[in-house]
Amino acid sequence: LLAADVAPAATLESDRLRVVFDDAHGAITSFVDKATGRDFIRGEGSGLYELTFWDASRAHVSLRERDAQAKVTVRGPTAVITSTHAERKITVRVECRLAGAALQCGIAVKNASPLALYAVRFPAAKFPVRLGDSAEDDRVLLPRCDGAVLENPEANLRGSSVANYPGGASVQLLAFYDATAGLRVTALDGGGYRKAIGLDRHGAGLGLHMVHYPEVAAGKDFTLPYAVEMAVFHGDWESAAAEYRKWAVKQKWCRKRLDERVAELPEWLRGMPFFYTVAVKGQNAENKPALRYDMIAEQTEAYNKLLHSPACAMVMSWEKQGPWVTPDYFPPVGGDEAFQALMARLRGAGNRSMVFFSGLKWTLKKGESFDATEAFARDGEAAAIVADDGKTLVVGKPGDDTGQYGELCPATRYAQDLLSRLSRRATELGVTAVQMDQLVGGGSPPCFSEKHSHPLGGGNWQAEAVYRLLARMRSEGKERNKDFALSMEEPGEYFIPVLDTYHARDYAEGRWPRDGKGIRGAPLFTFIYHDYLLGYGGDSAGISAGVSAQNVYSAAANLVNGKITAAAVWGAYRPPEQVERGQRELLASALAMAHGPAREFLLYGERMLTPRLDVPEVKIPIWVQSAGKGEDRVFPAVVHSLWRLRDGRLGWVAVNVSGNAVEVTAPLRGGERVRLEAGAALF
């Protein structure tokens, strides 16, 4: 029998949703989409909450609703579950209110024990890993950075896939769906409170992972300061994202759209230049290692002329001690004079520059020779993040790309002042834009220092500290130079107002953060926030001398997802005339669109639901980072996007990523049939 055939007392029901609670423990035993009859919770039912406490020795103590005596009270659209853990002197109150297709839930913990609440998993619901008769069309939307979709979690997920918010989770949304119906879980938090968001798999069960981290203090009560919403929907991930956007645009980070931020965004960035990633240390024309300051200036100018676009040279491997060695950056490799000369040449040719700082990291050891442990102990460790074991957090190994490092706590005055000084020095040397790299999505590890002026562990103090740091760097930079721009690696919704742009990876199919078995890219952040924050097309969208379908796809993905056009050579010697013609022409077409008829849409437009196109599918060889090999992946022959301006005008952008001409029915132009040649872009 379906849950619809029974009528227990503890039931909430609307015209779209029926939710049933276990009278004995309060757990959710049924969650029925009435339009389709699908029950998302079957079998033994699902949990309601899982609490993790610390005892005096910081050992973990776990409590769940099934461990307590519960009382369930239903009044109209609201259910209240009171769970008493008498032996621990802890009482938990959960309130769930049903409205239409959504169940909004809150939780409060009354703690009369000596324990300290460390983490709250809420809701603790687990669902069958297979939604319907077949798992082939099951999908999970993940808020990994720009966004990702996990195909067929039954086949492709083992263990967990979780990211912190703020941080690797750019938004607070999960969705589990197939062609019949879907379930979304959302934290309606406008305050930047620390949480973990993602998936975990246990046998035949799939958990939509939502863990909240309070400030840790013994004997302290806790009330989750926002609601968590579980709702049914129909459609794919875009339908779930559209519902999330309705809430998101009312939050403080969306107080201004991009077209209302014109005065604060530098003109050169609004001009959507070509972002060109090139390293100081690399190969010269004779294929020998060299410092390439003159070459960077010459080739940036050459790309400017060939692509008919100003460029922003993203200058890599410039750091004094080597790539990603921080914070001892200055003087840059080769000295101040050579570095300043490059910056002056770039500006003189109408171009701009960007450098990356490695976030709040402090390199301790890298390679066989670099060792800054004494300097860290002397100058940085007092301001460093302390892990939950009470010891200074140390991450990585000397042989890693970023070496072994500690990380500064953003709430300390030392960290704030240090990054301010570094940013000032970069602009004094002529740099136009600074990126806070390796501060992915604005996240950093939790700090448990008892000597810093912040609570232990979770809460929202860390997000507020990062926000203050970014706001300070940006404000001070613009006071020095109206052209200054601040960027961050990967998006984070909470930090939209204090960024000019962000490093996007819509092109990174098969690579981090879209790596892993069954993971495909989805422009989630773009779909929700494109008209509030402008992204650029990353530091690793490849260009090559030979034909590359993957490079064509990368450029197309950046274009149709509204990213400033970008390409990367890093340490390779690749002047523009050596770039394969098809890739070069697509980059030129993308920039022509961004500077011409599509400019307003690509700069200020709201991303709309993607229409279905009557085009064939094609296989493109993609290098898959996690597998260490290439694989053929299926894409529509034409990738595309639909945009709307605030005056109601619509724009359609499309690129043929196949090797053959394709005819397609345009979603605009009255259903006109249009022909796209191989590699061609259309607006």
Side-chain angles (χ1 to χ4, degrees):
L1 293 177
L2 291 175
D5 298 320
V6 298
T11 301
L12 298 179
E13 188 167 0
S14 70
D15 60 337
R16 298 188 59 188
L17 182 62
R18 178 185 294 110
V19 183
V20 182
F21 299 88
D22 177 357
D23 283 320
H25 299 290
I28 300 173
T29 59
S30 181
F31 199 91
V32 179
D33 171 34
K34 294 178 69 173
T36 62
R38 167 171 289 167
D39 192 343
F40 286 92
I41 298 175
R42 304 190 294 272
E44 297 180 358
S46 180
L48 192 61
Y49 64 81
E50 294 177 8
L51 309 180
T52 302
F53 292 85
W54 276 357
D55 65 15
S57 66
R58 295 195 174 182
H60 286 183
V61 176
S62 297
L63 298 178
R64 299 170 294 180
E65 81 288 330
R66 69 189 66 179
D67 304 321
Q69 291 187 340
K71 179 181 179 181
V72 184
T73 304
V74 176
R75 292 190 180 91
T78 302
V80 176
I81 301 97
T82 304
S83 301
T84 304
H85 300 267
E87 74 287 358
R88 292 290 187 181
K89 299 182 180 179
I90 292 169
T91 302
V92 181
R93 186 180 190 274
V94 173
E95 183 171 317
C96 299
R97 186 177 188 278
L98 186 61
L103 184 73
Q104 286 195 0
C105 304
I107 186 170
V109 179
K110 188 169 182 59
N111 181 14
S113 78
L115 300 176
L117 185 59
Y118 175 78
V120 178
R121 179 164 183 164
F122 179 74
K126 289 183 172 61
F127 310 95
V129 71
R130 179 183 294 194
L131 283 174
D133 293 335
S134 170
E136 289 296 323
D137 65 342
D138 289 354
R139 301 288 185 269
V140 181
L141 172 68
L142 293 167
R144 279 190 186 182
C145 299
D146 304 278
V149 167
L150 172 64
E151 299 180 334
N152 191 348
E154 182 178 54
N156 293 321
L157 180 66
R158 295 294 181 272
S160 62
S161 175
V162 178
N164 287 325
Y165 176 93
S170 62
V171 302
Q172 305 168 80
L173 169 66
L174 293 162
F176 184 23
Y177 61 94
D178 65 5
T180 299
L183 173 77
R184 63 177 173 85
V185 177
T186 306
L188 303 177
D189 166 25
Y193 286 86
R194 184 175 183 82
K195 59 184 70 70
I197 303 174
L199 299 176
D200 52 78
R201 166 84 184 276
H202 301 283
L206 180 73
L208 300 186
H209 194 101
M210 192 78 71
V211 177
H212 318 267
Y213 294 97
E215 298 172 4
V216 178
K220 185 175 181 179
D221 296 341
F222 171 75
T223 299
L224 192 67
Y226 48 87
V228 175
E229 185 172 86
M230 298 170 61
V232 294
F233 71 96
H234 303 113
D236 62 11
W237 70 264
E238 288 187 347
S239 299
E243 289 298 315
Y244 184 83
R245 178 181 160 96
K246 293 177 184 178
W247 170 83
V249 296
K250 299 175 184 176
Q251 306 313 304
K252 61 184 178 182
W253 53 74
C254 285
R255 56 182 174 265
K256 287 184 180 179
R257 292 194 187 192
L258 271 173
D259 58 6
E260 298 170 312
R261 300 177 67 192
V262 171
E264 64 183 84
L265 298 178
E267 184 177 358
W268 70 268
L269 185 63
R270 287 185 282 114
M272 302 181 79
F274 173 56
F275 272 63
Y276 170 52
T277 305
V278 59
V280 173
K281 291 182 178 180
Q283 303 300 309
N284 61 17
E286 289 74 41
N287 202 32
K288 295 180 180 179
L291 292 184
R292 311 189 302 172
Y293 282 117
D294 288 340
M295 188 219 78
I296 290 174
E298 292 164 3
Q299 292 196 2
T300 303
E301 291 169 18
Y303 276 102
N304 178 321
K305 292 176 182 177
L306 186 69
L307 299 176
H308 306 290
S309 173
C312 177
M314 299 162 62
V315 181
M316 301 297 182
S317 301
W318 63 276
E319 302 94 328
K320 170 186 173 182
Q321 303 287 0
W324 318 124
V325 178
T326 175
D328 188 15
Y329 297 111
F330 299 106
V333 62
D336 284 350
E337 185 175 346
F339 189 86
Q340 284 181 294
L342 170 62
M343 299 300 123
R345 282 192 64 178
L346 291 170
R347 290 195 307 275
N351 300 311
R352 297 295 187 272
S353 60
M354 175 186 280
V355 297
F356 288 8
F357 291 138
S358 298
L360 293 160
K361 294 179 178 177
W362 188 304
T363 308
L364 303 177
K365 295 180 180 180
K366 188 171 183 188
E368 297 180 358
S369 58
F370 182 81
D371 189 335
T373 51
E374 289 187 9
F376 177 68
R378 181 185 65 244
D379 300 327
E381 190 164 13
I385 288 173
V386 173
D388 60 9
D389 62 2
K391 299 177 182 178
T392 300
L393 180 70
V394 176
V395 179
K397 299 177 181 178
D400 296 343
D401 285 346
T402 53
Q404 182 186 69
Y405 60 88
E407 192 154 351
L408 299 178
C409 174
T412 61
R413 180 66 179 269
Y414 183 87
Q416 300 260 335
D417 288 349
L418 174 63
L419 268 298
S420 171
R421 290 196 303 271
L422 293 173
S423 183
R424 180 175 67 248
R425 183 61 183 145
T427 54
E428 287 171 350
L429 292 174
V431 172
T432 311
V434 166
Q435 175 162 303
M436 282 295 280
D437 201 55
Q438 300 174 43
L439 189 76
V440 172
S444 62
C447 183
F448 293 85
S449 172
E450 296 180 349
K451 296 180 180 179
H452 300 168
S453 57
H454 61 69
L456 300 188
N460 68 341
W461 62 266
Q462 206 158 20
E464 291 180 346
V466 172
Y467 192 100
R468 290 195 303 272
L469 171 61
L470 297 176
R472 176 180 175 180
M473 291 175 66
R474 184 170 183 256
S475 174
E476 291 174 349
K478 291 181 184 298
E479 288 175 4
R480 292 187 293 268
N481 181 358
K482 64 181 178 61
D483 277 351
F484 180 83
L486 183 65
S487 177
M488 184 171 71
E489 182 178 10
E490 294 297 327
E493 63 185 5
Y494 191 75
F495 306 103
I496 287 173
V498 289
L499 295 171
D500 294 288
T501 186
Y502 70 93
H503 180 296
R505 285 185 170 90
D506 293 284
Y507 64 87
E509 187 77 15
R511 289 177 280 172
W512 186 89
R514 289 158 166 194
D515 57 329
K517 187 179 179 183
I519 293 289
R520 302 295 300 265
L524 172 63
F525 193 86
T526 292
F527 187 90
I528 299 169
Y529 290 121
H530 180 268
D531 48 336
Y532 290 89
L533 183 62
L534 178 66
Y536 72 91
D539 64 4
S540 296
I543 45 176
S544 59
V547 173
S548 171
Q550 179 165 347
N551 288 349
V552 168
Y553 173 79
S554 295
N558 276 335
L559 173 58
V560 302
N561 290 311
K563 300 303 181 296
I564 301 176
T565 301
V569 300
W570 285 85
Y573 182 81
R574 186 157 296 121
E577 63 271 15
Q578 292 184 7
V579 177
E580 184 265 330
R581 178 180 175 181
Q583 297 170 56
R584 198 171 63 227
E585 290 182 348
L586 180 53
L587 292 175
S589 295
L591 288 161
M593 284 188 185
H595 302 158
R599 180 179 182 274
E600 287 184 273
F601 295 92
L602 295 175
L603 181 57
Y604 301 129
E606 175 190 347
R607 179 75 179 258
M608 306 302 293
L609 293 171
T610 306
R612 300 285 183 184
L613 295 185
D614 54 338
V615 296
E617 293 182 332
V618 295
K619 289 183 178 179
I620 296 177
I622 297 291
W623 178 259
V624 180
Q625 184 178 14
S626 58
K629 62 181 181 180
E631 68 179 36
D632 287 343
R633 291 198 169 184
V634 175
F635 297 86
V638 175
V639 295
H640 68 118
S641 54
L642 187 64
W643 305 89
R644 180 175 65 191
L645 296 177
R646 286 212 272 176
D647 61 10
R649 283 181 291 157
L650 296 176
W652 179 56
V653 178
V655 181
N656 179 0
V657 296
S658 77
N660 302 299
V662 175
E663 284 198 356
V664 60
T665 301
L668 303 180
R669 301 182 176 181
E672 172 188 350
R673 292 289 288 179
V674 295
R675 178 182 173 90
L676 276 80
E677 299 299 326
L682 173 71
F683 173 73

